[in-house]
Amino acid sequence: MRPDTTLELLATPAEVSAVRRALRDYGTDVQLCASELVTNVIQHLGEGVPVTVRVSRDDGGRTRLEVTDPDPRVLPVLHAAVDADAESGRGLALLDALALRWGVTQGAGQKTVWCELATAAPEGGAVPGPGAVSVVSV
């Protein structure tokens, strides 16, 4: 799979909106997952962190989204339940519900959080699948 789209940015709230606009041709599920992952970088690493967003499609009907940041130590955690009054904590649960599978690849000086989604049908959004998580260190 070769990236169809690669975006290099500094993680800021304004860039989250720009990422959604740049990925509109991939469908709302990809836009939503990308904005959640970039928002996680802002919340857990801080504003202004360099991020790379890659999106690619394969011939088998899958779209892969990857968000890479420079901190291999801060890993995403899927919470089983979030208090209804909580202002955050639902992003990974949402990604888990939409993605066919997702995971983290750790490397020297970086990590990539990725997910694979069903490629959106021409009439509408992608079909959600059961989430499967994997963590790989390289």
Side-chain angles (χ1 to χ4, degrees):
M1 226 187 273
R2 234 178 83 211
D4 296 328
T5 300
T6 299
L7 307 170
E8 303 278 342
L9 56 116
L10 297 178
T12 64
E15 288 294 339
V16 173
S17 296
V19 167
R20 279 196 302 268
R21 282 190 305 277
L23 300 180
R24 73 177 154 249
D25 290 343
Y26 292 97
T28 55
D29 290 354
V30 171
Q31 289 176 293
L32 185 55
C33 290
S35 64
E36 289 298 333
L37 292 176
V38 174
T39 298
N40 280 352
V41 172
I42 296 167
Q43 289 180 336
H44 300 288
L45 299 180
E47 285 191 38
V49 172
V51 172
T52 302
V53 177
R54 287 178 216 79
V55 182
S56 54
R57 291 181 174 154
D58 70 10
D59 294 333
R62 289 191 182 200
T63 300
R64 183 176 175 102
L65 167 67
E66 300 177 348
V67 176
T68 302
D69 69 61
D71 193 336
R73 300 166 295 146
V74 179
L75 298 175
V77 176
L78 177 62
H79 297 285
V82 176
D83 184 330
D85 294 329
E87 292 183 17
S88 65
R90 294 178 189 82
L92 283 179
L94 184 59
L95 181 134
D96 188 62
L98 293 173
L100 300 170
R101 63 189 193 125
W102 69 275
V104 181
T105 304
Q106 294 171 281
Q110 70 176 22
K111 78 168 165 302
T112 300
V113 182
W114 57 267
C115 63
E116 292 181 354
L117 302 108
T119 299
E123 298 82 33
V127 178
V133 180
S134 65
V135 177
V136 179
S137 293
V138 289

